[in-house]
Amino acid sequence: MTNIPITVKKPDTTVPIGFVSINSNNTFTKTNTVLLNLSANDNIGIIGYYVSTSNIVPLITDIRWINIVPIKNYIANVPYTLSSGDGVKIIYVWYKDNVGNISLAASASIILDTLIPIISVVEKKESIITYGAVIAGNLDWSVVSVNLLLGNNKITVDSVDTLNKTDSKAVINISYVPKNK
């Protein structure tokens, strides 16, 4: 009787570990097209990733998996188009290895802000004018007072939001004549 050595390999049960950020962790974007910064590692090799706006784990057989050349440490920047409509956008990414282990969901969020700031006059008082603006995200601002000269006054207001988007100048013409006492 001949003894033949047999090597039994344990099955790979280690799931990949993955990460995602959007536009290098920026808080805001003014366009729907962004870059997903993907990275993952696995003891055997990453063979694909799956991007979704849903947090439901994809099936290993789903045709929306993006296949990649097997690699233990995966890093890539891939373009992605956010859904339309301003607001918070959340992206979920899963990674799979060559035996079918799927990572936990990696997620990232970004605020889509395509609106230009809006300026409007709110109220006037004798020698003081108060004005404010509503900016995307319901952020309000105001100036408490503006000193007016006798006669015609021209006030030009510019607004810049957090994405450096500017509104066209709003010009407010005020003629100041003091009340008789």
Side-chain angles (χ1 to χ4, degrees), residues 138-168:
N138 297 324
L139 302 173
D140 293 325
W141 62 265
S142 64
V143 173
V144 176
S145 67
V146 175
N147 293 326
L148 299 175
L149 302 174
L150 286 175
N152 293 327
N153 292 267
K154 183 177 184 180
I155 300 170
T156 303
V157 180
D158 287 322
S159 65
V160 180
D161 69 9
T162 55
L163 298 174
N164 284 329
K165 290 189 298 187
T166 59
D167 186 21
S168 56

Side-chain angles (χ1 to χ4, degrees), residues 5-11:
I6 299 175
T7 304
V8 177
K9 271 185 137 178
K10 290 183 180 179

Side-chain angles (χ1 to χ4, degrees), residues 123-146:
E123 80 180 270
K124 281 193 298 193
K125 297 179 186 173
E126 277 184 45
S127 65
I128 298 174
I129 180 167
T130 302
Y131 52 90
V134 177
I135 301 174
N138 297 324
L139 302 173
D140 293 325
W141 62 265
S142 64
V143 173
V144 176
S145 67
V146 175

